[in-house]
Amino acid sequence: MQAANADVLLDLEEEEEEEEEEEEEDGETVLELNQVIIPTYGTVPEQQNLHTPEWADFDNKPDSLFFSDGQRRIDFVLVYEDETKKMTHKRIDRKKQKRKRQVYESNLINNGLQLEATRSVLDEKLVFVKVHAPWEVLCTYAEVMHIKLPLQPDDLKTRESAFNWFTSLFRVDENIIKPEQEFFTAPFEKEHLSNFYIQDKDTFFNPATRSRIVHFILSRVEYATKNNVKKFGINKLLDSGIYKAAFPLHDSSFRHPSTDPACPSERYLLYREWAHPKNIFKLQPLDFIRKYYGEKIGIYFAWLGFYTNMLIVAAFVGVGCFLYGCLTKDNCTWSQEVCDPNIGGNIIMCPQCDKVCTYWNLTSTCESSKKLCIFDSFGTLVFAVFMGIWVTLFLEFWKRRQAELEYEWDTVEYLEQEEQVRPEYEAQCTHVVMNEITQQEEHVPYTACGKCIRMTFCASAVFFWILLIIASVIGIIVYRLSVFLVFSATLSRHVNGTQAIHKYLTPQTATSVTASLISFVVIMVLNIIYEKVAILITDFELPRTQTDYENSLTTKMFLFQFVNYYSSCFYIAFFKGKFVGHPGNPVYWLGKYRNEECDPGGCLLELTTQLAIIVGGKAIWNNIQEVLLPWVKNLIGRYCADARSEKIVPRWEHDYHLQPIGKLGLFYEYLEMVIQFGFVTLFVASFPLAPLLALFNNMLEIRLDAWKLTTQFRRMVPQKAQDIGAWQPIMQGIAILAVVTNAMIIAFTSDMIPRLVYYWSFSVPPYGSHSSHTMKGYINNTLSVFNISDFRNASKPSSPWFGNQTTCRYRDFRYPPGHQHQYEHNIYYWHVIAAKLAFIIVMEHVIYFVKFIISYIIPDVSQKTKSKVKREKYLTQKLLHENDLKVVKKTMGKIADKIIKGVDSTFRPKSE
């Protein structure tokens, strides 16, 4: 070991001489190379020797989680490529990188961490630096980080739920994964060490807590100072390539338990009882997940499981509404009229585009009208109202569940006590300001003016990208308008409709499907680009804490994704076919492209098609991206490693060849689910089966995410999290918007309101001729008449007219030719508009009122949880107070005894 240290020091001296010779040529200051930085305490000259890690050979114990002495646990692993064996950089660059790494490792040792270096078994260029935090270091930083640790076992009795017998059928076997013992906890303080429940110093800090403390130190230790700017943190060293990886260890293989009998093999148990596909119907062991991966991972899977369970009710009601539509479609009078050769067969429709399009028979839309009867029924209205209430119940009950987890996982006061400032923020703190509260000077990274400039720039960048998405949506719309002409020419619908393919492949259908596929591709491409832009914008914004950073990034990404994913659906639902004019005076986009029209059945079926393609394509894409790609990469890595050697490989090298989790962690998992939540709620009136599809997807998603984390990725650094962050207000905003969108879909996209108006007002006198309320004659009543002689030359179809008929029909409520107000909106139109507006107002107010009542009745925190929190605070204060009192009494007792003894000796008579 002494020889190894001597070699390192000799290398340092030689490098210093070479750097002095090359300094003039390089032209750069090498201050950071000539100083050793001690965090928080400034710098000291390099006359002090650099501390170096201990070197040890691999001991052929593949499942060992300890240093070579078998006593010190490995809390973190750093991986670098030996600079002397690198061939990709200039010599001076390699030496600079080596010096920065050596300074960094020396400062880690100065901070109390213990390091041990071991060369790779498979690749001699790689060196693994194992990091161990001794007891004193753990205690010191646990107090700095305000980590809550056990005081005494929890003596509160929990009431058994009436449904325990049922849920026990789906719970993990307690003999395999034993329930965690509950404790009363308090923020750790070294001076109150005796008050904490310490049975064994080696297990008092569990592996997740140890890794979190070590990562906290790694993120704040300095390695250089240049131009009076400190450079520190493992993240920057990873970005610059000085280290190739930094991660905590998995405790075993996921395929089999550890050969070390002292190892609990938690990774193996998680794979067997949680991540394996056979457990798809089992409840998740959330406490065990939290113990192994930390609260941030635990709260994600708790939320995803809760959301999935709530979808069961929504899916059940949605399937009921769908079956209702299937059972009643044969009684759909307006569809029967479309398909009736004596009614729909005699109705000739006007062309839907200029010149190329021809006249067509209404019966050609018979099949689509039958499908539309399934979705455009009374059940859809019931389901839309139900989903408006369901989403409120979901959010309110999740708040209660989240409050329970905050108590159980000791995150109730996390944000106020534990969260630390980001190292990237600390590094930029060069401005001095006066704190209004403490009236003391503190350092900040920018002035008030600088902050305004940053915020303005970031907001402008986000707004620009949103405009770019809107531009792409407009491009898709122009594509739809232009390609419709092509499909109309190649798929022209003849009046007789004899060709079977025309029943299904209409110009509208072909346009809709191809536009949806192109929209999906554009969405995915823009996602990839904007992801990098959003990260750059947020980094420039420089949020203070990690929670602030994630919330800021979440807001930017969701705004982008909202426009990206939902814009095409909003166009079909609320704009397509709404502003088309009439055949004699059509409305044009950009003065060139004629606006699209809906089929006689409306745009609802097209909206359903769009949703199915985007949701289905998105699910397939995400699974390929999230699961298949890491699996293929790991498979190739294992194949290459096996081809090179048959040697025994240590645990840290196995983990190194797994995929890194990425800087954003679970951000994309949340984003995927919240986008799905938007599809399930915002447009559910057009597709009642959306909750069922989401339920099936989520049941699979839970296990795929678990499988991915457990088998394909390195272990994440455990992190604290109080809640799901900015996703909660985002979902609340979606819930409010969903009421409006569903009401507008029913009012403006479906034909429910026109049918009701016809049934109650226009089927009977004075407007109708039927003696009782009926739907008969609805189709004929809602299709306006147009005289073909009134076509403009630019719109007149090139195909010749046949027969003796001089008129065609189109979808609108207008007076016929020859009327004094010909081609103007008739009384039916104004009745329908009034009914639509009245319906939206009534539906919105009813649902919002019910939502308000539900939110008021259901408290965010249950009474049971409030009692537990109060009880824990009371017992914690009492315990700490009593222990302090005992110490005082004990100390005062000794002093009193000494005083009494002194008094006794003073007044005691002298013995003769």
Side-chain angles (χ1 to χ4, degrees), residues 11-265:
D11 289 342
L12 292 177
E13 292 174 1
E14 292 175 354
E15 288 170 9
E16 287 168 12
E17 293 174 0
E18 292 173 355
E19 284 168 7
E20 288 174 1
E21 293 173 0
E22 296 173 349
E23 184 175 0
E24 294 181 0
E25 299 176 4
D26 191 64
E28 294 182 359
T29 181
V30 290
L31 178 62
E32 72 268 21
L33 306 181
N34 296 327
Q35 291 177 333
V36 178
I37 293 86
I38 307 299
T40 312
Y41 303 104
T43 62
V44 296
E46 200 208 346
Q47 291 144 357
Q48 287 189 358
N49 291 330
L50 290 175
H51 299 288
T52 58
E54 306 168 12
W55 281 85
D57 295 329
F58 174 48
D59 56 6
N60 289 326
K61 295 179 180 178
D63 290 333
S64 176
L65 302 176
F66 296 88
F67 279 17
S68 58
D69 58 13
Q71 301 296 321
R72 292 172 290 176
R73 184 182 182 89
I74 301 172
D75 298 317
F76 226 88
V77 175
L78 307 177
V79 187
Y80 69 89
E81 190 173 350
D82 193 340
E83 292 84 0
T84 60
K85 301 180 184 299
K86 280 185 179 180
M87 304 302 295
T88 56
H89 295 86
K90 295 179 180 178
R91 186 180 181 187
I92 184 64
D93 292 335
R94 293 200 302 269
K95 285 183 285 190
K96 284 184 178 181
Q97 287 190 347
K98 183 175 182 179
R99 180 60 64 86
K100 289 178 181 178
R101 177 182 57 75
Q102 290 173 331
V103 169
Y104 181 71
E105 290 173 358
S106 178
N107 284 331
L108 291 178
I109 296 173
N110 289 336
N111 273 266
L113 297 179
Q114 298 174 3
L115 310 183
E116 182 181 83
T118 302
R119 286 204 177 271
S120 168
V121 174
L122 301 177
D123 186 353
E124 64 177 7
K125 291 187 294 184
L126 292 180
V127 177
F128 293 87
V129 180
K130 295 159 284 183
V131 183
H132 169 76
W135 170 257
E136 278 299 320
V137 172
L138 293 173
C139 291
T140 299
Y141 280 93
E143 184 171 2
V144 170
M145 299 169 67
H146 303 283
I147 295 177
K148 286 187 173 183
L149 291 167
L151 284 173
Q152 70 175 33
D154 188 347
D155 59 356
L156 293 178
K157 295 181 180 180
T158 56
R159 290 181 294 178
E160 294 292 329
S161 171
F163 296 98
N164 264 5
W165 65 271
F166 180 73
T167 56
S168 62
L169 301 174
F170 301 97
R171 281 201 296 265
V172 176
D173 188 351
E174 293 185 356
N175 293 321
I176 299 175
I177 296 181
K178 297 180 180 179
E180 293 294 315
Q181 185 178 2
E182 296 293 332
F183 290 93
F184 292 123
T185 60
F188 184 79
E189 296 179 6
K190 289 176 69 175
E191 62 180 12
H192 294 131
L193 187 63
S194 59
N195 296 337
F196 288 87
Y197 190 79
I198 305 176
Q199 290 187 320
D200 184 353
K201 288 186 176 181
D202 293 334
T203 59
F204 179 64
F205 295 98
N206 63 36
T209 304
R210 297 176 68 99
S211 298
R212 190 156 71 93
I213 291 174
V214 172
H215 184 260
F216 179 86
I217 301 172
L218 293 176
S219 299
R220 285 159 175 78
V221 167
E222 300 171 19
Y223 61 85
T225 298
K226 187 173 183 178
N227 299 328
N228 293 323
V229 176
K230 297 177 182 178
K231 297 182 179 181
F232 57 86
I234 187 62
N235 291 334
K236 287 188 177 180
L237 293 172
L238 288 170
D239 292 339
S240 61
I242 294 175
Y243 285 103
K244 296 179 71 67
F247 53 89
L249 286 179
H250 283 296
D251 69 343
S252 68
S253 169
F254 70 89
R255 293 187 178 90
H256 53 77
S258 173
T259 55
D260 184 355
C263 177
S265 301

Side-chain angles (χ1 to χ4, degrees), residues 887-902:
V887 172
V888 171
K889 285 182 177 179
K890 187 176 180 181
T891 305
M892 292 301 294
K894 291 179 180 179
I895 296 174
D897 290 341
K898 289 181 180 179
I899 293 174
I900 292 172
K901 286 180 181 179

Side-chain angles (χ1 to χ4, degrees), residues 308-341:
T308 304
N309 291 336
M310 288 292 291
L311 278 174
I312 295 175
V313 180
F316 180 79
V317 178
V319 170
C321 294
F322 176 76
L323 293 176
Y324 172 82
C326 292
L327 294 174
T328 58
K329 71 173 183 177
D330 294 333
N331 300 324
C332 189
T333 306
W334 64 270
S335 177
Q336 292 173 357
E337 291 184 350
V338 170
C339 298
D340 191 339

Side-chain angles (χ1 to χ4, degrees), residues 171-172 177-180 182 270 273-274 282-306 309 398 401-402 404-405 408-409 702-703:
R171 281 201 296 265
V172 176
I177 296 181
K178 297 180 180 179
E180 293 294 315
E182 296 293 332
L270 281 170
E273 300 298 326
W274 175 49
K282 279 189 176 182
L283 296 175
Q284 301 180 84
L286 294 176
D287 290 333
F288 200 62
I289 297 168
R290 171 249 182 173
K291 177 185 176 184
Y292 190 77
Y293 285 112
E295 287 77 8
K296 200 164 194 174
I297 298 282
I299 199 77
Y300 165 72
F301 282 102
W303 172 79
L304 181 55
F306 187 85
N309 291 336
W398 166 245
R401 175 61 177 149
Q402 189 170 258
E404 293 176 5
L405 292 175
E408 294 172 4
W409 294 354
I702 291 174
R703 305 304 160 179

Side-chain angles (χ1 to χ4, degrees), residues 537-589:
I537 295 172
T538 309
D539 287 341
F540 177 76
E541 189 179 322
L542 204 62
R544 185 173 182 272
T545 65
Q546 186 63 23
T547 298
D548 294 338
Y549 181 89
E550 292 176 0
N551 290 346
S552 178
L553 182 62
T554 296
T555 304
K556 294 182 182 65
M557 284 294 290
F558 184 77
L559 283 174
F560 174 84
Q561 300 281 5
F562 184 89
V563 179
N564 203 8
Y565 277 109
Y566 301 141
S567 55
S568 58
C569 295
F570 273 97
Y571 165 72
I572 295 172
F574 306 124
F575 296 98
K576 183 182 177 183
K578 303 299 185 295
F579 312 101
V580 295
H582 61 85
N585 185 28
V587 177
Y588 291 88
W589 255 74

